[in-house]
Amino acid sequence: MPQAIHISPIDNVVVALHPIAKGTLVEVDGLAVTALEDIPQGHKMAVKPIKNGENVIKYGFPIGHATADAEPGTWMHTHNVHTNLSGEVEYSYNPSPDLAPLPKVEPETFMGFRRKDGRAAIRNEIWIIPTVGCVNDIAKKMVADNQDLVTGTIEGLYTFTHPFGCSQTGHDHAQTRKLLAALVRHPNAAAVLVLHLGCENLQHDQFVEELGEYDHDRVKFLTCQDVDDEFAAARDILKELAAYAGQFKREPIPVSELVVGMKCGGSDGLSGITANPTIGRFSDMMGQRGGSTVLTEVPEMFGAEGFLMDRCIDRDVFVKAEQMINGFKEYFISHNEVVYDNPSPGNKQGGITTLEDKSCGCVQKGGTAPIMDVIGYGDPVVTKGLNMLYGPGNDLVSATAMTAAGAHLILFSTGRGTPFSAPAPTLKISTNTPLAEKKSGWIDFNTGVIADGEKTIDEAAKDLLDLVIRVASGEQTKAETHGFREISIFKDGVVL
């Protein structure tokens, strides 16, 4: 079993695939270094002398600089490494010489649902979308009271509560409205009840205008203040929606019609070595089959732009990517926050030292294919291949944003473990085997087998594609079996 991995030949550190005890001789890529101290799993060890102020190189990129001299065998972490990041950066477009779409592959099929507008879906559910937090508990009771309507091909009745829709102004109000309308359009929702209170800022007419053209059989509205008994009124509407949703049946659909979101959270030092590269290889495979993937978490691109910017398919996409990254940095700066206020305590415990370290691992999920488009928060994916989406790193907020962009399901890698799920089925992918074994009720797929030497990244990616096809065909994720699903809306401004 390998002890450590030397990711790039120019790296001056290796990453421990398993705990390395002080005094252990570590041999990797022709290097032989004795550990001068205990090196936890996922953490870095110097394999070359590193001077005070010299860059620490991992993934072939600087992930910060040393704050003290370090001999080979030294544990390199927060106590002796500091970020290089500051504020906005001026980028130049230098497209990779080999920038071209990957070779095409005939897509497999999954058993999905074909909507009347032609879109594909992987679930056949009824959703209740509250426009304001005041009706959250009403929506929950409606879901509980009407479970008998979940029959035949209808796979669930759910609501996605949130605290917004009122007492918001300007951009925040518009963003809430846009996000909720995008969820109403999601193909996994066969039918939708939009639930208003009546006096909120997000008025019915305003929401209908945001929604645009819609199927009046698929989407219906109820304003609670306008009826004597909102539960009786909802029952009648939900019966109609169930009759509409019940007519859809699974049929073969090409994988090329899938949209898959890619996210990481509770990351550790193995995230960029096992799980995220596997997801990246999967993303490339999806692109070869004509499908779409979505990469977000903009703050976790800071310091790793070199992996991304030169892969933009053309200058227009590059300009949108530059505006997205620097725009998010300006968002931090406008709130008097430094752009490198990351990673989290759990990330650090797992071996991630700086934001550059985290970002270089995070963007591995993007694979090697060209970036075909950059889209805004609440906007839909319209381009085949790899897309970048404006959104924060927060797990719930970014997973919600990917769902709103049209992701049928989400791949979520984690080295620490997390149980939540977006409205779209959310597959949890562990970076290490101990986590998969400890949290078998959370984890759907284990890439720790790569660190264990049991499988290659290519083999794991093929297994992941097989699992995605099964989930798209109806197999439930662990979070779905627990009934876990929720949303969180990106908020920036004041609350009145």
Side-chain angles (χ1 to χ4, degrees), residues 33-350:
V33 177
T34 299
L36 301 180
E37 49 197 315
D38 290 341
I39 312 295
Q41 182 184 55
H43 287 241
K44 295 169 290 296
M45 182 180 74
V47 290
K48 301 173 184 176
I50 304 174
K51 296 294 185 183
N52 184 10
E54 183 181 348
N55 281 333
V56 177
I57 309 297
K58 180 183 175 186
Y59 301 104
F61 282 81
I63 62 162
H65 62 270
T67 57
D69 291 348
E71 295 300 316
T74 301
W75 177 34
M76 304 301 296
H77 198 36
T78 52
H79 60 288
N80 58 3
V81 181
H82 193 266
T83 180
N84 291 330
L85 291 179
S86 55
E88 295 182 27
V89 176
E90 184 175 337
Y91 303 100
S92 59
Y93 183 44
N94 301 296
S96 301
D98 56 351
L99 185 66
L102 298 173
K104 294 300 180 185
V105 172
E106 187 67 23
E108 298 87 345
T109 59
F110 66 96
M111 294 299 292
F113 299 93
R114 179 71 67 187
R115 299 302 178 208
K116 291 193 174 181
D117 61 5
R119 295 183 300 164
I122 70 168
R123 295 291 183 267
N124 198 51
E125 300 170 345
I126 301 172
W127 290 1
I128 299 177
I129 303 292
T131 59
V132 64
C134 301
V135 295
N136 283 347
D137 285 338
I138 288 176
K140 292 176 185 177
K141 181 170 171 53
M142 289 173 178
V143 167
D145 290 350
N146 291 280
Q147 286 298 311
D148 62 298
L149 299 178
V150 181
T151 59
T153 62
I154 300 173
E155 298 178 334
L157 168 62
Y158 304 101
T159 188
F160 305 110
T161 58
H162 60 90
F164 301 130
C166 203
S167 301
Q168 290 183 291
T169 61
H171 179 68
D172 267 1
H173 180 65
Q175 196 153 263
T176 293
R177 183 175 67 240
K178 184 178 182 181
L179 188 283
L180 294 176
L183 289 177
V184 170
R185 298 187 199 102
H186 198 284
N188 286 355
V192 182
L193 170 59
V194 180
L195 188 65
H196 296 284
L197 176 59
C199 58
E200 65 268 30
N201 289 130
L202 187 43
Q203 288 285 293
H204 172 74
D205 291 347
Q206 190 182 63
F207 191 85
V208 170
E209 182 180 357
E210 181 73 43
L211 186 60
E213 290 187 17
Y214 68 94
D215 182 342
H216 291 249
D217 292 326
R218 176 182 174 270
V219 180
K220 295 189 180 295
F221 298 84
L222 173 61
T223 300
C224 295
Q225 290 174 346
D226 288 351
V227 297
D228 293 335
D229 185 340
E230 63 273 12
F231 298 110
R235 175 70 178 179
D236 291 339
I237 294 172
L238 290 170
K239 283 181 179 179
E240 294 179 28
L241 293 174
Y244 176 83
Q247 64 186 305
F248 295 102
K249 296 178 174 58
R250 290 192 180 271
E251 60 184 85
I253 296 176
V255 167
S256 56
E257 297 191 42
L258 282 179
V259 179
V260 180
M262 303 180 297
K263 174 76 180 80
C264 55
S267 301
D268 70 353
L270 294 183
S271 293
I273 295 169
T274 59
N276 291 349
T278 299
I279 293 173
R281 200 65 52 85
F282 166 88
S283 178
D284 288 347
M285 294 167 70
M286 280 292 295
Q288 289 181 287
R289 287 157 172 77
S292 303
T293 52
V294 187
L295 184 67
T296 186
E297 305 174 274
V298 178
E300 294 175 20
M301 298 174 187
F302 298 168
E305 295 93 330
F307 279 114
L308 298 172
M309 304 298 281
D310 296 342
R311 285 171 46 204
C312 294
I313 192 65
D314 56 38
R315 183 169 291 278
D316 288 343
V317 174
F318 166 80
V319 169
K320 290 197 287 186
E322 180 182 36
Q323 291 172 343
M324 178 184 72
I325 291 173
N326 274 335
F328 220 103
K329 288 181 179 179
E330 177 55 35
Y331 161 65
F332 274 51
I333 294 167
S334 69
H335 286 273
N336 299 312
E337 297 287 348
V338 295
V339 302
Y340 51 83
D341 193 14
N342 206 333
S344 71
N347 295 154
K348 294 174 182 177
Q349 187 176 349

Side-chain angles (χ1 to χ4, degrees), residues 417-433:
T418 183
F420 96 100
S421 175
T426 306
L427 275 164
K428 298 297 169 48
I429 301 171
S430 68
T431 69
N432 61 86
T433 299

